[in-house]
Amino acid sequence: MTSTGRVTLPIEQGMDEQLPGILARLGADAVRNSDGTWLPEITPQLGVKVYETYFPARGNQEFALAHLDARPRFYLMSARVAAGAEGALEIDIMRGYLPLQVTPDFTDLYRWWEVIDRTTGDVVDVEGWSVSGEGTDTVVTIAAPAPFHVYTVNFLAWQVWDSTQMYNYTTNNWQEDPTRVREIGYDARHPQAWEFMQQSLRDWCVERPEVDVVRFTTFFYHFTLVFNDLAKEKFVDWFGYSASVSPRAMDAFEVEYGYALRAEDFIDAGYYNSPFRSPSRHYRDWVDFQSRFVSSRVRTLVDIVHDAGKEAMMFLGDNWMGTEPYGQYFGDIGMDAVVGSVGSGATCRMISDIPGVKYSEGRFLPYFFPDVFTDGGDPLGEANESWLCARRAIARKPLDRIGYGGYLSLAVKFPDFVARVEEICDEFRAIHDLGGGLRPENAPIRVAIVNAWGSLRTWQTHMVAHALWYKQIYSYLGVIESLSGLPFDVEWMSFDDVRAGSLDGVDVVLNVGAANTAFSGGDEWLDADLTSALRRHVALGGGLIGIGEPTAVPANGAFFQLSDVFGVDKEIGWSQSTNRYPVAHGEHFITADLRDRVDVGEGAGDIFGIDGAELLQLDGTSVDVAAHTAGAGRAVYVAGLPYNADNTRLLHRAIYWAAGREQEFSSHWTSTNVDVEVAVFPATRKALVMNNSTRAASTVVAGRSSGMLGDGDVVVHRLELDAMESRWLDI
Amino acid sequence: MTSTGRVTLPIEQGMDEQLPGILARLGADAVRNSDGTWLPEITPQLGVKVYETYFPARGNQEFALAHLDARPRFYLMSARVAAGAEGALEIDIMRGYLPLQVTPDFTDLYRWWEVIDRTTGDVVDVEGWSVSGEGTDTVVTIAAPAPFHVYTVNFLAWQVWDSTQMYNYTTNNWQEDPTRVREIGYDARHPQAWEFMQQSLRDWCVERPEVDVVRFTTFFYHFTLVFNDLAKEKFVDWFGYSASVSPRAMDAFEVEYGYALRAEDFIDAGYYNSPFRSPSRHYRDWVDFQSRFVSSRVRTLVDIVHDAGKEAMMFLGDNWMGTEPYGQYFGDIGMDAVVGSVGSGATCRMISDIPGVKYSEGRFLPYFFPDVFTDGGDPLGEANESWLCARRAIARKPLDRIGYGGYLSLAVKFPDFVARVEEICDEFRAIHDLGGGLRPENAPIRVAIVNAWGSLRTWQTHMVAHALWYKQIYSYLGVIESLSGLPFDVEWMSFDDVRAGSLDGVDVVLNVGAANTAFSGGDEWLDADLTSALRRHVALGGGLIGIGEPTAVPANGAFFQLSDVFGVDKEIGWSQSTNRYPVAHGEHFITADLRDRVDVGEGAGDIFGIDGAELLQLDGTSVDVAAHTAGAGRAVYVAGLPYNADNTRLLHRAIYWAAGREQEFSSHWTSTNVDVEVAVFPATRKALVMNNSTRAASTVVAGRSSGMLGDGDVVVHRLELDAMESRWLDI
């Protein structure tokens, strides 16, 4: 492999002699700095494209300190405190929060704060409470609470320390570095701040002629990240819009939407509109409102960058609120590129599928930070794990570039790691070179994932913090992760889209998630238009796959509202008096190839079969996997689908079966070994065969030189692959 | 032990020579027949009290066949069937039912049947559907269903075969016996049937002078027991009131209550008002209405029995609907005795605690039926298991009598079993003899179990079918089972009782069960009066113990509405963005004595701690056991409590701790070995020390001769007990 390029490396000061060698070895054609590092003076002489990080809404402490009223804010909720038998109730609102990060905002507080009786949900009249003290000692006193009711205070608070800088500061022990200060942000809605942001960027572009790409990290408002009183993370929502709130914004919202938002619209009883909550109309309006505002102002910044002859790149994270790349305003921004952290196949596709940018770049893990690059850390293992997940997603829809971040000086102390990165870079470039710059062919089966968020959160569903393991999500995230490398066109549809008829042309619909979440859908399934649309889809020959608690809401005698279609339902205690006699079905197309029982992760509780369902796996009397024919169509149920090779194959086959195309499966460039996947590029007459495991693999791969369609002969290829090996076949 | 009596044996024809010996050996002082056996002619010469089974509402086939309109009925729901894109929808209502047991009742069917759109919950106008065919071929046609909606038919059906007789018939292969017929029941509301029932009983009493006790098995309406088309049980609800419905009863109800019941009031979306459903007002009214009717008519029958100089005994089961012994009308009946099947300690207490009867009798397991008394059966093992569970409950509140049922001729083929029964009878009588006919002393801690049913279902909560193992109940039933042998006064309170102030004087309140069930309480916990009553109870020094999903309903930012009191709540997906850092607490009074981790059974999902709770056991990051001080009181949370010795001890200690009396525990006649329990009888200065396990046990027992109170010296007793041994101490 002789091609180079498509790779970005973080560089820093003090490595001038090493840099040209490292860049050449990895074929890197771009360099960047990171949060906390600066580009060395040698940079312009390296002959590569230069990125520099840029923080529009923090970094100038002089401006920040002179304009403390421009600090960003968020709404916070106090602890839940019960009143006693009689007397006033005092609530110490800062209990559990970190004064270094937040302080109450007293501006017009009786207008913006709320005290709520959490026993009844009633708002306490402003006459009924008062505020005393300040800062950490702020106390709200409710004069005459209802005895033994629980109360909370929704209060507006200043963010007195930027959340990401705080995270980096504590992770890197910057408190020991006297040159570091705790950076304060500023709000783009503040008129002087906004003027300052524009002028600063103009000045910066002039001052930094050697920079080719302005790497925005990111724009104005941070995802919700609140620390507790021990400086540990207390609340993290990568998708949160809470940290963009301000009286100015709420006033503007009221003018535009004709109604006022309340503190409770943001606090959401303490759930802060987590993406697992079925979004309220008010919250959707707020997301839309802020997305338009942010996108429009970012457009102005991007124009400044372009006017200076540079490119604008957005880091997908940190202060990305309002520029969600699958949102309807992102295309208006004119962004040249997006770079994001690749923690999995799903996050890879989240980046590579972004529409309307010139190129996408995946920042690979591990990040060169001292938490991993240390004695006892395993950067090589993390690199392999990350690459095996990412490769199958890249093969399916290539990122344009890859890169790394952090401190290069740390990484070079691990030569095995650098050697492996060299191989990864070559393997990555080969996908572009041998794939002819095209996507591989997908099966002729259109797949749609249906949930409350729809396309806005393409590849982003079921995540709590960014790409971390959580007990209640991994059994669902596996579906998204599996799909990231499977040969299907996948689209994301909201329930409103389904009601509006978007299922036309879709072959297989997926509904995935836990009951009462935005992903399964909760009360949406009480809507007969929605359930009827899906019953129609299946009755007329379509496929439906449910994972976990699909279509779940207890009503009218069912928990899964499409239990008649799935052929299964969940026992939630009310029908235990009904006897059931489950019998496991024998071999089935869907479960062929599996090496062991399906791992359904956390499962979904007690699932029972209904007349006519084929119960493909039972756990005691509970159904793990079922297949059911309903009318001309088919439905598949799986209790949970953590990501692994067998489950990926289960989903691959389930989609073919649900689509009624199981006869074609074995000639569609599939592998008999579930550890091995294939991407076929008929245009270049190549197929990429990937061993996703860390053991050697024998397999048989079969397909036509025309790809999945056509009537040419099916050719069988027998391969022996080394651990993690990928190999290109001529077809 | 030389006393005799207190034991009832089933006898049958053909064993005349053996009978006197067996009776003497077991000290039996009463005999009975069973369903399907007849007393031998020798009976009056045996010198014992004679019971004979009596079935008021079945058994006379001549009357039944001459009055088919007197057959009992129930409401049944068809399968759920989805409409297609267009055209009429036909529903085969008998699909899944057994024609030998049920047949549709066409009487005025457009008044009594209902067709329901289960997608919307709407009732279809009677003009919109019609019925064709009959019997198994009955079809309901909905002329113009909403496309892709799901429909069901609620239909009234005749019970053409008595449910218990059908069960006995199939269990004993009576179809091979030409003398047996499938018995049809008759409804006590039918005027001729009621006349016939009274006259038959009068005649029978005259014809059966040798009978001392009329053992009613039972009265009029069977618990709900419906078979499927393969003659297997399809729906079993031991508490069901569905099988008592008739147009006559519904008309009478409407006159009395001023509103008409609908079919759906009985069908309940297919859940048939299972006791796990929070009971609707209509259903509660129906239970009350039928209980008054049944109790009043049973009173008439009991008067007939008394007039004939005999005693009336009620079997607690089968056709017991309307004579629930903890209901408010039972005392009016004048019943002399109740006999019930003892499957556990809880069922034992259910019988022994019944107020207002002269004596109670427990029918022990195993029943002498060929399902157990066969090659490969283990009657001895079943007898031991049953006795170990029952003994601790009997020691706490003695049954007056014990007995057995079924075919004695089967049992005598198992001499080991008979020998063990002899020991059991002696051990049982000793409790009466040495306990002085008194109850042992209880701890000075009043315990109340709070749920939707309250005292009506004393010792009967969380059961599906009678005393069987179900996955979703065993983790809660263990609480009831543990309590059946613990030294506490336990009462059962409804939520209405709590609102009415019944917690006064209660020390420790328990709320036990799964979310959305009548036992946890579901939507009841939205009521501020209820939650405030419990917060007040704890704040003023009371105890609260929650098992599973106590006070659970998602509202106002909490799932457990008393999460602030318990110090824990459950993560239902919405607050995953909130970070938690659970730390296990060290040793604690509550978990002292345990030999291993607490087995929480099915557990309750992801439970997280809140400020101030002591997390006594963690499973990963989820809380299994927690203790929390709230105001002057205390709360304990346990994720599940299947019955075993360690869990019983956990509950024993948790109650002491929640009551704030943990200092007294070790001098209250407790055993250091959790397998061993003690019942203390200060009046006779005796203590019964029981080894509940099938292994030998060493233990230390400490207490005062005055029992639990008083200030005498605490004496320590060291004991070595054989497997299953019980031993009486002089104190």
Side-chain angles (χ1 to χ4, degrees):
Chain A
M1 217 66 60
T2 54
S3 78
T4 60
R6 297 189 179 277
V7 173
T8 304
L9 273 193
I11 61 172
E12 60 190 279
Q13 293 165 338
M15 303 180 67
D16 289 4
E17 301 222 342
Q18 292 168 273
L19 284 177
I22 297 170
L23 292 177
R25 190 170 161 198
L26 304 185
D29 60 349
V31 296
R32 52 166 290 211
N33 73 327
S34 299
D35 187 9
T37 63
W38 289 267
L39 292 172
E41 286 185 23
I42 196 185
T43 306
Q45 285 84 56
L46 293 172
V48 293
K49 207 166 176 176
V50 177
Y51 303 179
E52 192 159 277
T53 55
Y54 192 86
F55 304 90
R58 65 167 161 118
N60 189 306
Q61 201 72 350
E62 188 182 351
F63 176 85
L65 290 169
H67 299 85
L68 290 177
D69 67 325
R71 289 174 299 187
R73 293 174 248 216
F74 39 34
Y75 267 117
L76 300 177
M77 190 180 84
S78 75
R80 298 165 66 92
V81 184
E86 53 187 12
L89 174 65
E90 295 193 344
I91 300 182
D92 168 8
I93 64 170
M94 280 289 286
R95 179 155 70 87
Y97 292 106
L98 185 72
L100 277 177
Q101 191 200 12
V102 301
T103 195
D105 172 12
F106 291 97
T107 315
D108 208 2
L109 73 91
Y110 291 97
R111 178 172 171 203
W112 299 114
W113 295 19
E114 272 183 334
V115 176
I116 296 189
D117 178 341
R118 294 291 178 192
T119 298
T120 61
D122 296 334
V123 176
V124 178
D125 280 348
V126 289
E127 290 73 28
W129 53 274
S130 57
V131 179
S132 58
E134 58 182 329
T136 2
D137 300 322
T138 308
V139 168
V140 169
T141 303
I142 303 161
F148 301 110
H149 284 214
V150 167
Y151 291 85
T152 63
V153 178
N154 297 339
F155 64 102
L156 204 53
W158 297 107
Q159 302 178 37
V160 301
W161 192 355
D162 177 81
S163 302
T164 290
Q165 206 248 355
M166 177 177 173
Y167 176 84
N168 291 340
Y169 202 97
T170 53
T171 307
N172 294 294
N173 290 315
W174 287 349
Q175 62 275 18
E176 292 162 14
D177 177 351
T179 69
R180 305 280 183 178
V181 295
R182 295 194 292 269
E183 291 183 8
I184 301 167
Y186 17 96
D187 182 339
R189 277 192 193 267
H190 187 279
Q192 287 149 288
W194 174 231
E195 282 309 314
F196 177 75
M197 287 182 199
Q198 295 172 81
Q199 191 55 49
S200 304
L201 180 59
R202 278 187 212 105
D203 296 345
W204 187 89
C205 286
V206 171
E207 292 159 13
R208 307 293 287 154
E210 73 278 20
V211 173
D212 303 297
V213 179
V214 183
R215 188 182 185 280
F216 286 102
T217 312
T218 327
F219 300 109
F220 310 137
Y221 303 112
H222 205 279
F223 65 79
T224 316
L225 174 55
V226 185
F227 291 83
N228 71 13
D229 49 356
L230 302 172
K232 289 179 166 175
E233 292 179 11
K234 180 185 178 77
F235 184 90
V236 186
D237 179 6
W238 203 61
F239 299 94
Y241 276 70
S242 298
S244 70
V245 72
S246 65
R248 192 176 272 114
M250 291 172 79
D251 282 338
F253 180 95
E254 184 175 359
V255 168
E256 188 171 334
Y257 285 80
Y259 71 91
L261 291 173
R262 292 170 42 202
E264 184 63 8
D265 287 316
F266 299 92
I267 295 293
D268 182 30
Y271 303 118
Y272 297 97
N273 299 294
S274 129
F276 288 81
R277 296 275 286 168
S278 287
S280 66
R281 171 50 53 199
H282 287 193
Y283 184 62
R284 287 176 187 273
D285 283 350
W286 176 256
V287 169
D288 189 71
F289 169 75
Q290 286 295 62
S291 295
R292 271 186 295 112
F293 171 77
V294 169
S295 297
S296 135
R297 297 231 155 157
V298 171
R299 168 86 216 194
T300 301
L301 298 186
V302 168
D303 286 344
I304 292 171
V305 170
H306 287 169
D307 288 347
K310 301 179 193 301
E311 286 183 336
M313 173 181 275
M314 172 177 108
F315 173 66
L316 187 58
D318 295 357
N319 299 52
W320 71 308
M321 205 221 77
T323 57
E324 291 191 72
Y326 297 92
Q328 59 177 314
Y329 309 110
F330 181 75
D332 302 333
I333 294 176
M335 192 68 61
D336 298 289
V338 173
V339 59
S341 172
V342 173
S344 61
T347 48
C348 189
R349 289 294 296 271
M350 173 178 74
I351 300 162
S352 64
D353 280 4
I354 291 172
V357 289
K358 294 185 194 136
Y359 60 98
S360 64
E361 179 169 314
R363 194 201 66 201
F364 271 48
L365 293 177
Y367 199 79
F368 304 166
F369 253 12
D371 50 348
V372 174
F373 288 84
T374 181
D375 285 350
D378 182 20
L380 179 61
E382 290 197 24
N384 280 332
E385 190 181 355
S386 168
W387 177 240
L388 290 179
C389 283
R391 184 177 64 189
R392 57 190 290 275
I394 290 172
R396 191 54 46 203
K397 174 68 165 67
L399 291 162
D400 296 293
R401 305 180 56 80
I402 63 175
Y404 289 86
Y407 307 152
L408 186 60
S409 56
L410 281 176
V412 296
K413 294 175 185 162
F414 291 77
D416 287 356
F417 172 76
V418 176
R420 179 63 177 138
V421 169
E422 186 180 342
E423 291 173 1
I424 287 171
C425 291
D426 285 341
E427 216 175 330
F428 169 69
R429 282 185 287 256
I431 293 171
H432 283 275
D433 296 343
L434 298 176
L438 301 170
R439 293 190 60 171
E441 189 180 37
N442 276 340
I445 300 175
R446 263 182 77 197
V447 174
I449 295 179
V450 172
N451 61 45
W453 291 109
S455 62
L456 178 66
R457 298 279 159 82
T458 298
W459 297 111
Q460 296 160 58
T461 51
H462 303 285
M463 293 183 192
V464 179
H466 184 62
L468 294 184
W469 188 94
Y470 276 70
K471 185 177 179 189
Q472 294 194 17
I473 67 174
Y474 78 92
S475 307
Y476 306 123
L477 266 177
V479 176
I480 312 303
E481 186 64 16
S482 294
L483 284 172
S484 73
L486 285 174
F488 300 110
D489 291 321
V490 182
E491 57 205 299
W492 309 73
M493 257 175 219
S494 71
F495 299 118
D496 287 339
D497 294 334
V498 171
R499 281 183 279 255
S502 295
L503 290 184
D504 288 354
V506 168
D507 297 295
V508 177
V509 175
L510 272 75
N511 182 233
V512 180
N516 277 319
T517 64
F519 304 117
S520 169
D523 287 350
E524 292 272 6
W525 296 107
L526 298 175
D527 177 36
D529 290 341
L530 180 62
T531 53
S532 296
L534 281 160
R535 274 204 195 86
R536 176 188 305 273
H537 166 76
V538 177
L540 302 183
L544 176 65
I545 298 178
I547 316 278
E549 297 177 311
T551 77
V553 60
N556 295 313
F559 185 57
F560 296 169
Q561 290 302 309
L562 293 176
S563 58
D564 55 302
V565 181
F566 287 119
V568 298
D569 203 348
K570 176 170 172 171
E571 174 57 64
I572 56 169
W574 299 342
S575 57
Q576 292 179 90
S577 296
T578 298
N579 300 60
R580 294 160 186 136
Y581 306 93
V583 177
H585 188 269
E587 291 186 4
H588 195 283
F589 171 79
I590 291 175
T591 47
D593 295 349
L594 301 187
R595 294 171 291 198
D596 200 348
R597 285 174 60 83
V598 180
D599 172 9
V600 297
E602 298 297 306
D606 292 338
I607 306 295
F608 60 86
I610 299 172
D611 279 7
E614 296 173 330
L615 310 181
L616 307 188
Q617 179 172 301
L618 290 171
D619 176 10
T621 57
S622 184
V623 178
D624 281 343
V625 184
H628 187 235
T629 297
R634 291 168 169 182
V636 177
Y637 173 79
V638 187
L641 201 91
Y643 177 65
N644 63 44
D646 289 76
N647 281 353
T648 300
R649 179 58 57 94
L650 179 81
L651 183 61
H652 194 170
R653 284 179 166 269
I655 291 171
Y656 267 81
W657 186 82
R661 305 189 75 134
E662 69 273 23
Q663 300 300 335
E664 303 167 37
F665 182 78
S666 63
S667 63
H668 273 188
W669 290 97
T670 47
S671 149
T672 54
N673 184 326
V674 302
D675 283 333
V676 176
E677 290 182 302
V678 184
V680 63
F681 298 80
T684 58
R685 297 186 70 103
K686 295 276 186 192
L688 175 60
V689 184
M690 296 166 279
N691 178 3
N692 298 330
S693 84
T694 52
R695 3 172 232 280
S698 299
T699 191
V700 174
V701 167
R704 298 181 182 85
S705 60
S706 57
M708 300 195 190
L709 302 177
D711 54 6
D713 289 343
V714 174
V715 178
V716 171
H717 305 258
R718 291 175 196 281
L719 296 92
E720 303 291 332
L721 297 168
D722 288 339
M724 303 188 283
E725 182 185 353
S726 69
R727 191 182 303 170
W728 288 90
L729 298 180
D730 294 312
I731 68 171
Chain B
M1 217 67 58
T2 55
S3 78
T4 59
R6 297 190 178 277
V7 172
T8 304
L9 273 193
I11 60 172
E12 61 191 279
Q13 293 166 336
M15 302 180 68
D16 289 4
E17 303 219 344
Q18 292 168 272
L19 283 178
I22 296 170
L23 293 175
R25 190 173 161 196
L26 303 183
D29 60 349
V31 296
R32 53 166 292 209
N33 73 327
S34 298
D35 188 10
T37 64
W38 290 266
L39 292 171
E41 286 185 22
I42 194 185
T43 305
Q45 286 84 57
L46 293 172
V48 294
K49 206 166 176 179
V50 177
Y51 303 178
E52 191 159 278
T53 55
Y54 191 87
F55 304 90
R58 65 169 161 114
N60 190 307
Q61 201 72 351
E62 190 181 348
F63 175 85
L65 289 168
H67 300 83
L68 289 178
D69 65 328
R71 290 174 298 188
R73 294 175 246 215
F74 38 34
Y75 266 116
L76 300 176
M77 190 180 85
S78 74
R80 299 166 65 92
V81 184
E86 55 187 11
L89 174 66
E90 295 192 345
I91 300 182
D92 168 8
I93 64 170
M94 280 289 287
R95 180 156 69 87
Y97 292 105
L98 184 71
L100 276 176
Q101 190 201 14
V102 301
T103 194
D105 171 13
F106 291 96
T107 315
D108 207 2
L109 73 92
Y110 290 97
R111 177 172 172 204
W112 299 115
W113 296 19
E114 272 183 335
V115 176
I116 296 189
D117 177 341
R118 295 291 179 191
T119 299
T120 62
D122 297 335
V123 176
V124 179
D125 280 348
V126 289
E127 290 75 27
W129 53 274
S130 58
V131 178
S132 59
E134 58 182 329
T136 2
D137 300 322
T138 308
V139 169
V140 169
T141 302
I142 303 161
F148 302 110
H149 285 214
V150 167
Y151 290 85
T152 64
V153 178
N154 296 340
F155 63 104
L156 205 53
W158 297 107
Q159 301 176 40
V160 302
W161 190 358
D162 176 81
S163 302
T164 289
Q165 205 248 356
M166 176 176 173
Y167 176 85
N168 291 340
Y169 202 98
T170 52
T171 306
N172 294 293
N173 289 316
W174 287 349
Q175 63 274 19
E176 291 161 16
D177 177 351
T179 71
R180 307 280 183 177
V181 295
R182 294 194 292 268
E183 292 184 6
I184 301 169
Y186 19 95
D187 183 340
R189 278 193 190 266
H190 188 279
Q192 289 150 288
W194 175 231
E195 283 308 316
F196 176 76
M197 286 181 198
Q198 296 170 82
Q199 192 55 50
S200 305
L201 180 60
R202 279 187 213 104
D203 296 347
W204 186 90
C205 286
V206 172
E207 292 159 12
R208 307 292 288 156
E210 73 278 19
V211 172
D212 305 297
V213 180
V214 183
R215 187 185 186 279
F216 285 102
T217 313
T218 326
F219 301 108
F220 309 137
Y221 303 112
H222 205 279
F223 65 78
T224 316
L225 175 53
V226 185
F227 292 83
N228 71 13
D229 49 356
L230 302 172
K232 289 181 169 173
E233 293 179 11
K234 179 184 178 78
F235 184 90
V236 185
D237 178 7
W238 203 60
F239 299 93
Y241 277 71
S242 297
S244 70
V245 72
S246 66
R248 192 176 272 113
M250 291 172 79
D251 281 340
F253 179 95
E254 184 175 358
V255 168
E256 188 172 334
Y257 286 80
Y259 71 90
L261 290 173
R262 293 169 41 201
E264 183 63 7
D265 288 317
F266 299 92
I267 294 293
D268 182 29
Y271 304 117
Y272 298 98
N273 299 295
S274 131
F276 289 81
R277 296 276 286 169
S278 286
S280 66
R281 173 51 50 199
H282 287 193
Y283 184 62
R284 287 175 187 272
D285 284 350
W286 176 254
V287 169
D288 188 72
F289 170 76
Q290 287 294 64
S291 295
R292 272 186 294 113
F293 170 78
V294 169
S295 296
S296 134
R297 296 230 153 157
V298 171
R299 167 87 216 194
T300 301
L301 299 186
V302 168
D303 287 345
I304 292 171
V305 169
H306 287 168
D307 290 346
K310 301 180 193 298
E311 287 183 336
M313 174 182 276
M314 171 176 110
F315 173 65
L316 187 58
D318 294 359
N319 299 52
W320 70 309
M321 205 219 77
T323 58
E324 292 191 72
Y326 296 91
Q328 59 178 312
Y329 309 110
F330 181 74
D332 302 334
I333 294 175
M335 191 70 60
D336 298 289
V338 172
V339 58
S341 172
V342 173
S344 60
T347 48
C348 189
R349 290 294 295 274
M350 173 178 75
I351 299 161
S352 64
D353 279 4
I354 291 172
V357 290
K358 295 185 195 137
Y359 60 97
S360 63
E361 179 169 317
R363 194 201 68 200
F364 271 48
L365 294 177
Y367 200 80
F368 305 165
F369 253 14
D371 49 349
V372 173
F373 288 83
T374 179
D375 285 350
D378 182 19
L380 179 60
E382 291 196 25
N384 280 331
E385 189 181 357
S386 168
W387 176 240
L388 290 179
C389 285
R391 184 177 63 188
R392 56 190 292 273
I394 290 172
R396 193 53 46 203
K397 175 68 165 71
L399 291 161
D400 296 293
R401 304 180 55 82
I402 62 174
Y404 291 86
Y407 308 151
L408 186 62
S409 56
L410 280 176
V412 297
K413 294 176 186 162
F414 291 77
D416 288 354
F417 172 77
V418 176
R420 180 62 179 140
V421 169
E422 186 179 344
E423 293 172 357
I424 287 171
C425 291
D426 285 341
E427 217 176 330
F428 169 70
R429 282 185 288 257
I431 294 172
H432 283 274
D433 297 342
L434 299 177
L438 301 170
R439 291 190 62 171
E441 188 180 37
N442 275 339
I445 300 174
R446 263 183 76 197
V447 175
I449 295 180
V450 171
N451 61 45
W453 291 109
S455 62
L456 178 67
R457 299 278 160 82
T458 297
W459 297 111
Q460 296 161 56
T461 50
H462 304 284
M463 293 182 191
V464 179
H466 185 62
L468 294 184
W469 188 95
Y470 275 70
K471 185 177 179 190
Q472 293 192 18
I473 67 174
Y474 77 92
S475 307
Y476 306 123
L477 267 177
V479 176
I480 312 303
E481 186 65 14
S482 294
L483 284 172
S484 73
L486 285 174
F488 300 110
D489 290 322
V490 183
E491 56 205 298
W492 309 72
M493 257 175 220
S494 71
F495 299 118
D496 287 340
D497 293 335
V498 172
R499 280 183 281 255
S502 296
L503 290 185
D504 288 351
V506 168
D507 297 295
V508 178
V509 176
L510 272 75
N511 182 233
V512 180
N516 277 321
T517 64
F519 304 117
S520 170
D523 288 349
E524 292 272 6
W525 295 108
L526 298 175
D527 176 36
D529 290 341
L530 180 61
T531 53
S532 297
L534 281 159
R535 274 204 196 88
R536 176 187 305 272
H537 167 76
V538 177
L540 302 183
L544 176 66
I545 298 178
I547 315 278
E549 296 176 312
T551 77
V553 59
N556 296 312
F559 185 56
F560 296 170
Q561 289 302 307
L562 293 176
S563 59
D564 55 302
V565 181
F566 288 118
V568 299
D569 202 348
K570 176 169 171 170
E571 175 57 67
I572 57 169
W574 298 341
S575 57
Q576 292 180 90
S577 296
T578 298
N579 300 59
R580 294 159 187 136
Y581 306 93
V583 177
H585 189 269
E587 291 185 3
H588 194 283
F589 171 81
I590 292 175
T591 47
D593 295 349
L594 301 187
R595 294 171 292 199
D596 201 348
R597 285 175 60 82
V598 181
D599 172 10
V600 297
E602 298 297 306
D606 292 337
I607 306 296
F608 60 87
I610 300 172
D611 280 5
E614 297 173 330
L615 311 180
L616 307 188
Q617 180 173 301
L618 291 171
D619 177 10
T621 58
S622 184
V623 178
D624 280 344
V625 184
H628 187 234
T629 297
R634 291 169 170 181
V636 178
Y637 172 80
V638 187
L641 200 93
Y643 177 64
N644 63 45
D646 289 77
N647 282 353
T648 300
R649 179 59 57 94
L650 178 82
L651 183 61
H652 194 170
R653 285 179 163 270
I655 290 170
Y656 269 78
W657 186 83
R661 306 189 74 134
E662 68 273 22
Q663 300 300 333
E664 303 167 37
F665 182 78
S666 61
S667 63
H668 273 187
W669 290 97
T670 47
S671 150
T672 54
N673 184 325
V674 303
D675 282 333
V676 176
E677 289 181 303
V678 184
V680 63
F681 298 80
T684 57
R685 298 185 70 100
K686 295 275 185 193
L688 175 59
V689 184
M690 297 166 279
N691 178 4
N692 298 330
S693 83
T694 52
R695 357 171 237 283
S698 299
T699 190
V700 174
V701 168
R704 297 182 182 84
S705 60
S706 57
M708 298 194 192
L709 302 176
D711 53 6
D713 289 342
V714 174
V715 178
V716 170
H717 304 258
R718 290 173 197 282
L719 296 93
E720 304 290 330
L721 297 167
D722 287 341
M724 302 188 283
E725 182 185 353
S726 70
R727 191 181 305 170
W728 287 87
L729 298 182
D730 294 312
I731 68 170

